[in-house]
Amino acid sequence: MAMLRAAMKSIPEEPDEVSASASHQEEWALVADHPDGFMALSPVRDPSGELVDFHWQYANPASESMLGMGLTHIRGRGLSELLPDVRARGILARYVRVVESGEPYIDEVCFPLANRSRWFRVVALKRREMLTLWFSEITRRKREELETGFLAEVSHLLTASLDVESALHELARRCVPTLGEGCVLQVLDSRGQPLLLETVASEPAQETLLVEVMRHCTQSSAEPGPMGLLLPQDTPQLLTGVTPALLSSLTRDPEHLRLMRMMGPRSLMAVPLRARGRTLGVLVLLTFSERAYEPEDLRFAEDLGDRVALSVDNVLLFREARHAVAQRDEFFTVAAHELRTPTTSLKLNVQSLLRGARRGEAGTLPASLMSKLENVDRNAGRLNALVNELLDVTRIHAGRLRLDLEEVDLTALVQDVAARFELPATQSQSPILLHLPGPARGMWDRLRLEQVVTNLLSNALKYGAGKPVVVRVEADAERVRLVVRDEGIGIAPESLPRLFGRFERAVSDRHYGGLGLGLYITRQIIEALGGTVSVLSTPGAGATFTVELPREASA
């Protein structure tokens, strides 16, 4: 604009005694070497005096170069004759207002010139009853804006959902007409099997032919290249002038050639969708009009293909991981069920032997043998508990954790569980101190709630460091609270956020056994009952677990 103002200042106002024609020639000579495009157009009025068009009178060399039209070609011809879009898009009406009002007008406009769309920044001014246009080409900037915006839209589209098929369907639709007049998007899954094939064109007839071409490619012996053409699959391809003769050289299938000729592509780009060293498909963009693709278009198509390939690869990896997790959970379920039968049988037989030995059915057994039987009983019980934990985890992950609600007194349930822990508490030198003021009833799953109390008490005794474990039950009209506190080793602050995760442990498994599933299962049960579980801890000063439950849980 600074250069434009300087040029305008250098043009003298027209003296009355100087003819308009001579004055115009002098002005135009001053802008002949200006780097910006300059044009002068005279108004054309109908018999009623209404301004209806403009005739070109002058164009400097810069504008001739930008528009690809020489002055001898445009002089005396109508603006709307050479650029029909100006009338349809309302640009002509704006230029009329410039001449009638004297107010300048600035705009960014796009015109299809020389088989491609080109953008210009245009300043329209009135000068001695004529319309003057100063303009500069901004195609590169507009291209960059378009490409940046389109890639941002595509990135959001491809990351907003794991439904990659729907996202790719929408992507193909958005490619037309923004990037071309036809689009073929072909994607394979991780096993190389067809996952998706989208064909889109701006005209229904062209889209029908695209569908026919791709159907023929999949059902016949057409070449494996993009759209069945004899083109490399793993490198980007740009065909700027597609002729019937060129098509004949790119296919050996007569029917395929017939369909391609009927479709009549004028230019074509094909970019492979590659990720982690493998080809996941191909993106093909086509034009059917005079528009021709350029190397810059191919570079952008490659950027787009890279984003599509990365997104598809990520979704396929996620699906593979989810499938692997499902297979792992299925294995855990089968293995746990298979293990449960022998461990249960072992537990029952050992307990039967112990009862018989204690009653003296086979005489008095040596103390060492009794100790070994009791050790086998404890380990059988521990193995059975581990198998049950694995079963619970697979049920929780599959959403099959079943709740059987009934009226339960949490106070009585805590007393029962604590009684079963008398021997372990004595062995660990951590007495269990109960604070149970009275009944605390609610509608809960008795067995699952018993599992929660067992997990928390077992956890407190394991890490209690030989100090008392306090269990407290509190209740109000709507909620019941269970608090289990130990004075043991405590939990490091960095371990607290992940304490209730699957297979998570706050201590080394070299010194403490278990699978790291007890607290995970506890949290899942409590949340299924509509409650919460939390922990407060200071390293070296023990830990306090608090469970809050509504009196009425929903199944």
Side-chain angles (χ1 to χ4, degrees):
M1 285 299 293
M3 296 177 68
L4 184 153
R5 293 190 190 99
M8 291 300 293
K9 287 180 180 178
S10 67
I11 300 176
E13 290 294 329
E14 179 185 1
D16 292 339
E17 65 274 11
V18 180
S19 71
S21 176
S23 179
H24 286 319
Q25 294 296 331
E26 292 175 5
E27 290 183 10
W28 298 339
L30 291 174
V31 297
D33 296 327
H34 202 282
D36 286 340
F38 174 82
M39 289 183 169
L41 302 97
S42 60
V44 176
R45 300 181 181 275
D46 64 14
S48 67
E50 182 180 356
L51 205 166
V52 295
D53 202 353
F54 296 92
H55 280 173
W56 261 292
Q57 299 300 326
Y58 175 76
N60 70 348
S63 64
E64 293 181 17
S65 175
M66 290 182 199
L67 297 179
M69 300 180 187
L71 178 59
T72 56
H73 173 68
I74 66 173
R75 179 179 289 157
R77 302 181 69 177
L79 177 64
S80 57
E81 175 189 353
L82 292 180
L83 296 175
D85 282 356
V86 298
R87 188 181 297 277
R89 290 153 55 185
I91 298 173
L92 181 63
R94 298 187 190 110
Y95 291 166
V96 168
R97 282 196 294 272
V98 169
V99 173
E100 292 179 338
S101 69
E103 294 293 327
Y105 176 74
I106 302 175
D107 197 7
E108 294 181 351
V109 296
C110 178
F111 292 116
L113 300 169
N115 297 336
R116 57 172 293 198
S117 295
R118 301 173 71 180
W119 280 88
F120 301 93
R121 185 176 188 273
V122 181
V123 179
L125 302 166
K126 179 182 179 181
R127 180 77 174 173
R128 300 193 188 96
E129 300 306 319
M130 296 190 73
L131 175 69
T132 60
L133 302 177
W134 290 87
F135 55 95
S136 55
E137 186 170 358
I138 55 172
T139 302
R140 181 177 295 276
R141 174 171 68 82
K142 297 299 288 188
R143 172 192 286 273
E144 291 174 354
E145 291 175 0
L146 172 67
E147 292 176 353
T148 301
F150 191 82
L151 289 178
E153 289 182 13
V154 168
S155 297
H156 175 74
L157 178 67
L158 295 174
T159 57
S161 170
L162 291 174
D163 185 0
V164 67
E165 290 86 351
S166 296
L168 292 176
H169 171 80
E170 178 62 22
L171 168 64
R173 294 287 162 186
R174 293 190 185 186
C175 284
V176 177
T178 305
L179 306 182
E181 292 147 359
C183 174
V184 174
L185 181 57
Q186 194 167 16
V187 180
L188 309 175
D189 63 17
S190 56
R191 298 183 301 277
Q193 298 301 311
L195 176 67
L196 173 137
L197 174 62
E198 286 292 337
T199 52
V200 184
S202 53
E203 297 294 334
Q206 301 291 354
E207 187 164 334
T208 300
L209 285 168
L210 264 181
V211 172
E212 287 297 319
V213 167
M214 297 311 299
R215 180 183 293 119
H216 181 76
C217 290
T218 57
Q219 295 177 352
S220 70
S221 58
E223 299 297 331
M227 294 186 66
L229 298 173
L230 287 167
L231 293 171
Q233 299 184 70
D234 298 330
T235 56
Q237 300 295 313
L238 172 62
L239 303 180
T240 56
V242 180
T243 62
L246 178 60
L247 288 175
S248 298
S249 67
L250 293 177
T251 180
R252 301 188 184 96
D253 185 328
E255 178 62 16
H256 181 244
L257 176 60
R258 184 185 70 82
L259 292 171
M260 290 295 295
R261 284 181 170 177
M262 285 180 62
M263 188 169 59
R266 302 300 297 271
S267 61
L268 176 150
M269 294 189 297
V271 294
L273 307 180
R274 292 185 58 79
R276 294 187 298 122
R278 61 193 180 106
T279 301
L280 302 175
V282 65
L283 170 66
V284 181
L285 296 169
L286 309 101
T287 66
F288 303 111
S289 64
E290 295 300 320
R291 174 182 175 182
Y293 287 127
E294 300 176 343
E296 288 182 348
D297 296 307
L298 182 62
R299 284 193 290 272
F300 174 68
E302 290 182 69
D303 289 342
L304 176 60
D306 288 342
R307 297 195 183 208
V308 173
L310 179 62
S311 177
V312 170
D313 189 49
N314 287 339
V315 170
L316 292 179
L317 285 173
F318 175 79
R319 290 182 178 180
E320 291 173 3
R322 187 168 57 183
H323 180 65
V325 168
Q327 288 184 316
R328 181 204 65 188
D329 288 345
E330 184 179 359
F331 169 78
F332 279 161
T333 301
V334 174
H337 274 293
E338 291 298 318
L339 288 170
R340 195 175 190 180
T341 300
T343 54
T344 301
S345 177
L346 174 63
K347 176 74 174 173
L348 292 173
N349 284 316
V350 170
Q351 288 179 338
S352 177
L353 288 173
L354 280 173
R355 285 194 298 269
R358 288 166 183 154
R359 290 196 300 264
E361 293 176 357
T364 303
L365 294 179
S368 61
L369 182 57
M370 283 294 294
S371 176
K372 290 178 181 178
L373 279 174
E374 289 171 350
N375 186 49
V376 170
D377 181 51
R378 283 193 300 274
N379 282 298
R382 182 167 174 268
L383 179 60
N384 202 43
L386 293 177
V387 170
N388 286 332
E389 282 187 347
L390 284 176
L391 271 174
D392 283 338
V393 168
T394 56
R395 288 179 185 135
I396 290 168
H397 189 66
R400 297 197 301 265
L401 183 64
R402 180 182 171 185
L403 297 177
D404 295 318
L405 302 183
E406 60 179 309
E407 186 176 80
V408 179
D409 182 357
L410 181 59
T411 297
L413 188 148
V414 167
Q415 288 175 324
D416 292 342
V417 174
R420 295 201 295 270
F421 274 91
E422 286 183 1
L423 180 60
T426 301
Q427 291 173 337
S428 63
Q429 299 180 335
S430 294
I432 299 174
L433 307 179
L434 301 180
H435 295 271
L436 309 173
R441 296 185 177 88
M443 294 298 295
W444 305 306
D445 185 308
R446 180 183 298 276
L447 292 179
R448 290 299 181 184
L449 198 53
E450 182 179 307
Q451 190 176 358
V452 167
V453 178
T454 299
N455 284 344
L456 293 179
L457 263 179
S458 175
N459 195 70
L461 292 174
K462 183 187 295 185
Y463 305 117
K467 298 177 181 179
V469 172
V470 178
V471 181
R472 179 182 291 107
V473 174
E474 303 167 351
D476 57 31
E478 295 181 355
R479 304 184 72 81
V480 174
R481 182 179 298 106
L482 169 68
V483 180
V484 180
R485 171 171 175 75
D486 68 77
E487 300 177 8
I489 62 175
I491 304 167
E494 62 271 16
S495 298
L496 288 174
R498 57 183 176 83
L499 191 63
F500 293 97
R502 277 192 302 174
F503 305 107
E504 292 289 352
R505 308 173 58 84
V507 295
S508 170
D509 56 5
R510 296 180 60 187
H511 301 92
Y512 298 90
L515 296 175
L517 293 172
L519 292 179
Y520 169 74
I521 294 171
T522 294
R523 181 175 186 175
Q524 298 301 315
I525 292 173
I526 293 302
E527 290 182 350
L529 291 169
T532 61
V533 57
S534 59
V535 59
L536 295 174
S537 179
T538 302
T544 300
F545 287 84
T546 302
V547 172
E548 290 195 2
L549 286 169
R551 287 185 181 268
E552 295 288 337
S554 58

